[in-house]
Amino acid sequence: MIHHFSTWNLSLSLEFRASSLSLPEQSLIHHFSTWNLSYVHMVVGTLRHSIPKSVVYCQVREAKRNLLDRFFTELGAKEGRQLG
């Protein structure tokens, strides 16, 4: 049994010797590999959509923190009469 896996296009192909497995066994292996490949594509799709959103969320959170720090620093530097 020889396994080939390409990470570039996520293609998975299995080669079996005809004499080593019966046709129903080959069919079952083919179905399993198809299901597994479908699962991998689903996970990759989920990550492709969720990672950019997570990165943007972290950037926005950091920007918000920096703006609040700057605001409170400037606010704290003002005198009482300026605040009134």
Side-chain angles (χ1 to χ4, degrees):
M1 186 177 351
I2 301 171
H3 299 274
H4 297 284
F5 183 71
S6 171
T7 57
W8 295 108
N9 60 7
L10 293 176
S11 66
L12 178 63
S13 63
L14 298 172
E15 296 177 16
F16 298 98
R17 294 185 196 160
S19 62
S20 66
L21 294 174
S22 69
L23 189 57
E25 290 172 331
Q26 289 178 5
S27 178
L28 185 61
I29 295 296
H30 174 73
H31 287 295
F32 285 155
S33 64
T34 302
W35 293 333
N36 286 331
L37 186 58
S38 296
Y39 177 75
V40 168
H41 283 292
M42 182 195 69
V43 169
V44 168
T46 301
L47 292 175
R48 186 181 304 128
H49 293 296
S50 64
I51 288 177
K53 291 176 185 175
S54 300
V55 170
V56 169
Y57 171 77
C58 291
Q59 291 172 336
V60 168
R61 186 181 62 194
E62 186 65 26
K64 177 182 173 184
R65 187 177 318 162
N66 289 338
L67 285 172
L68 285 173
D69 287 346
R70 182 174 158 199
F71 172 74
F72 287 121
T73 300
E74 290 178 8
L75 190 63
K78 296 188 185 261
E79 295 180 14
R81 62 183 172 85
Q82 289 176 318
L83 292 175

